[in-house]
Amino acid sequence: MDLYIERGFDQTTVAQIAQRAGLTERTFFRYFADKREVLFWGSATLQELLVETLEGLPPSLAPIDAVAGALDVIAHGFEERRVFALRRQSVIASNPELQERELIKLESLTVATAQALRSRGASDLVATLSAHAGIAVFKVAFEQWVKDDGQITLAQFITASFTELKSVSAGGS
Amino acid sequence: MDLYIERGFDQTTVAQIAQRAGLTERTFFRYFADKREVLFWGSATLQELLVETLEGLPPSLAPIDAVAGALDVIAHGFEERRVFALRRQSVIASNPELQERELIKLESLTVATAQALRSRGASDLVATLSAHAGIAVFKVAFEQWVKDDGQITLAQFITASFTELKSVSAGGS
DNA sequence: CATTGCGATGTCATTCGCTGCCATCACTCT
DNA sequence: AGAGTGATGGCAGCGAATGACATCGCAATG
């Protein structure tokens, strides 16, 4: 990530990364499927954590509230890594290919969340829409939290966004 | 797209595409930024259309209802292209890189929608969340419509999804 | 202690996506 | 006829990614 920040993502070659890490190009590709994947290490772990948390919540909760609860729990694990997240986001924000990768990771998170909601008894459509809404809230809250000066917690941003979502989608008509 | 269906996306080389199209590789890359972009021709047009439609709707509509209305209008332009969309979706579904590209196109649609909503006077957060929810609904409805046997219109799927969204996000608590 | 097996790493060659540079061609306008 | 212009072709080159094979370190086993 140092290199990505120093020279920019596509001005950085895998050879350079390998050299700084003290290994060969070939070995790099044994650990990461491609050049972008480095920045998304741990996203699988996050997904598992989210699903497990979701499974641990009382079944009485409505799908959207279960998602809100699970995200809130997860948020606490992020609080101490805000500066790191900020650096990471700055790299991703400056490269479309990295944004694509981030989006598909979020999509994967959405799909897994929807699956977990179905396991809790939600219908297909409700599960999908709740998952989408929930992950969208997380994305928005995460971006706000990263940009903020560190006074407000991620959990607080998430709560605020969920509150807003409910009033928004109540809509007119 | 014929080639992508025949041999699969990554088994197809740009050289092959160029040959079948009767031009050179170099020329291909003058029309499309990369190999994936071929399948997303017209997405910019769709985005413009969505924004313009949104601008043409009465300002009295709540953000989420404006999005619903605009998507409904746009949906009618798709009805006659369902089989094409089906072939296209089958290619995209079988390749992660294409899914990434599709996601970022949808994200672009979301951002543009949010911007249009802000122009209508919505707050930042409301605009963003409404756009996310609306485009998510569109995505879900589109997938259902493509898989369906053609009896139900895209507009109908969209309406149904929006109705569901409202009841979902009303949530418990 | 020697040997055997195995996982991690290195080396090499190759394919392919993609870009820059320059030449060429067709066409239009003056 | 000649100049300008936009589209295309040809070519060289870089870098990402993959497959095949060699090697090394290390632990288990006898």
Side-chain angles (χ1 to χ4, degrees), chain B residues 47-63:
Chain B
Q47 179 169 320
E48 290 164 18
L49 184 61
L50 177 60
V51 169
E52 287 167 12
T53 306
L54 216 39
E55 287 168 348
L57 291 175
S60 59
L61 282 177

Side-chain angles (χ1 to χ4, degrees), chain B residues 12 17 24 33 54 58 74 77-78 84 86 117 140-141 164:
Chain B
T12 305
I17 301 175
T24 61
L54 216 39
I74 283 195
F78 279 98
F84 173 80
L86 179 57
L117 290 177
V140 170
E164 198 70 24

Side-chain angles (χ1 to χ4, degrees), chain B residues 12-35:
Chain B
T12 305
T13 69
V14 177
Q16 293 165 352
I17 301 175
Q19 185 181 4
R20 181 165 300 192
L23 36 82
T24 61
E25 219 169 321
R26 194 65 188 83
T27 302
F28 173 89
F29 283 113
R30 286 204 180 90
Y31 282 85
F32 305 101
D34 57 54
K35 199 180 153 187

Side-chain angles (χ1 to χ4, degrees), chain A residues 80-125:
Chain A
E80 60 186 10
R81 282 180 270 174
R82 204 186 66 88
V83 272
F84 172 80
L86 179 57
R87 276 164 54 88
R88 180 175 165 280
Q89 283 301 95
S90 78
V91 175
I92 294 178
S94 65
N95 187 287
E97 300 197 346
L98 290 174
Q99 292 162 34
E100 290 187 346
R101 182 56 51 86
E102 185 176 43
L103 288 172
I104 207 172
K105 295 294 183 186
L106 285 172
E107 179 71 8
S108 170
L109 226 51
T110 303
V111 170
T113 301
Q115 176 55 37
L117 290 178
R118 273 189 288 269
S119 300
R120 294 169 51 96
S123 75
D124 236 57
L125 190 55

Side-chain angles (χ1 to χ4, degrees), chain B residues 128-147:
Chain B
T128 304
L129 287 175
S130 302
H132 269 290
I135 300 299
V137 160
F138 178 74
K139 176 171 154 45
V140 170
F142 191 84
E143 285 167 2
Q144 291 178 330
W145 170 71
V146 163
K147 283 180 198 153

Side-chain angles (χ1 to χ4, degrees), chain B residues 51 73 82 94 113 150:
Chain B
V51 169
V73 171
R82 205 186 65 88
S94 65
T113 301

